[in-house]
Amino acid sequence: NAGVTQTPKFRILKIGQSMTLQCTQDMNHNYMYWYRQDPGMGLKLIYYSVGAGITDKGEVPNGYNVSRSTTEDFPLRLELAAPSQTSVYFCASSPRPGTGSVPEAFFGQGTRLTVV
Amino acid sequence: AQSVSQHNHHVILSEAASLELGCNYSYGGTVNLFWYVQYPGQHLQLLLKYFSGDPLVKGIKGFEAEFIKSKFSFNLRKPSVQWSDTAEYFCAVNNYNTDKLIFGTGTRLQVFP
């Protein structure tokens, strides 16, 4: 059982380049999240999805886009990379609240992105 | 807007000392509450969670937390810390209305032998 898988683990981008961070989960979770983690700032929610075809903005969505065409996949797209997007990005998934289980979030290993 | 506050940004303790990390949240409706731990270089792992029932919840590695609804608090405690507890600790809140899972800014705990 792989859980939540993120690729790549590390990436260096030049300013203005674009890239997609991949996230896949094999737990059939409805909910998926993208966070960025910066020192002293904790985790900030970028985008989240409550199911295939449904996405919504989190706390810091500017500069990012997401899609959710399948239950398993939730890619995060950076169109024009900026130095402010240098961060560690975590993807997470959880079951839907109220389905008889507490919606514990399971995290991927993270992607360390540097924009230079 | 829903928010989570962690009052202690950096805590330094000696082994066997007691630990209490504060967490307050702003949302007044039905919530699920979590504490996650992140060991150096690793991803977040669940320590414990509160859904309903007994407000004192016990988690892994001897950690516990108490939900006090009137204070909107969910403080994390451990009677005697170990060097291996050195990590960053995050409080998180999920509410039924917005579906968002929001984290606090984290508390960095350093335990010295």
Side-chain angles (χ1 to χ4, degrees):
Chain A
N1 192 345
V4 180
T5 303
Q6 288 182 239
T7 56
K9 288 186 170 52
F10 303 94
R11 184 70 185 269
I12 298 175
L13 277 183
K14 292 184 178 179
I15 294 172
Q17 285 186 319
S18 62
M19 77 163 295
T20 300
L21 282 66
Q22 301 291 346
C23 176
T24 298
Q25 54 95 6
D26 62 0
M27 296 173 282
N28 201 33
H29 286 164
N30 292 102
Y31 285 35
M32 295 188 75
Y33 308 88
W34 273 108
Y35 294 90
R36 58 178 289 170
Q37 183 179 27
D38 302 295
M41 301 296 289
L43 277 77
K44 293 296 185 185
L45 182 63
I46 304 171
Y47 271 95
Y48 67 104
S49 168
V50 301
I54 306 169
T55 62
D56 209 344
K57 296 177 180 178
E59 301 167 283
V60 289
N62 291 344
Y64 306 94
N65 278 300
V66 293
S67 59
R68 185 92 182 272
S69 56
T70 66
T71 300
E72 295 78 19
D73 300 308
F74 191 42
L76 177 72
R77 178 106 179 134
L78 285 71
E79 290 293 350
L80 290 169
S84 60
Q85 294 178 304
T86 293
S87 188
V88 180
Y89 291 84
F90 287 100
C91 178
S93 73
S94 73
R96 184 196 310 275
T99 54
S101 62
V102 179
E104 170 190 347
F106 294 83
F107 283 81
Q109 295 286 342
T111 297
R112 184 175 294 276
L113 175 66
T114 302
V115 182
V116 296
Chain B
Q2 179 183 335
S3 67
V4 180
S5 299
Q6 291 184 242
H7 319 297
N8 317 100
H9 298 293
H10 189 189
V11 174
I12 301 173
L13 295 172
S14 299
E15 275 192 320
S18 64
L19 171 72
E20 180 159 2
L21 301 181
C23 173
N24 287 88
Y25 64 95
S26 64
Y27 183 67
T30 302
V31 294
N32 298 305
L33 298 158
F34 308 86
W35 276 98
Y36 285 85
V37 61
Q38 185 178 33
Y39 298 104
Q42 297 188 24
H43 62 100
L44 276 77
Q45 305 168 45
L46 184 70
L47 263 184
L48 48 78
K49 58 192 176 187
Y50 173 78
F51 176 54
S52 64
D54 188 345
L56 184 63
V57 294
K58 296 189 183 299
I60 60 172
K61 303 186 180 185
F63 285 91
E64 64 178 32
E66 185 176 12
F67 171 52
I68 303 179
K69 189 173 182 179
S70 60
K71 295 185 178 181
F72 298 92
S73 69
F74 190 56
N75 293 354
L76 181 71
R77 299 195 292 250
K78 185 170 184 178
S80 176
V81 296
Q82 300 173 318
W83 175 80
S84 57
D85 293 325
T86 294
E88 192 151 16
Y89 293 81
F90 294 92
C91 182
V93 175
N94 168 279
N95 78 66
Y96 283 61
N97 281 1
T98 70
D99 295 320
K100 294 179 183 179
L101 178 60
I102 301 297
F103 283 79
T105 52
T107 297
R108 184 179 170 214
L109 172 65
Q110 283 184 290
V111 180
F112 289 97

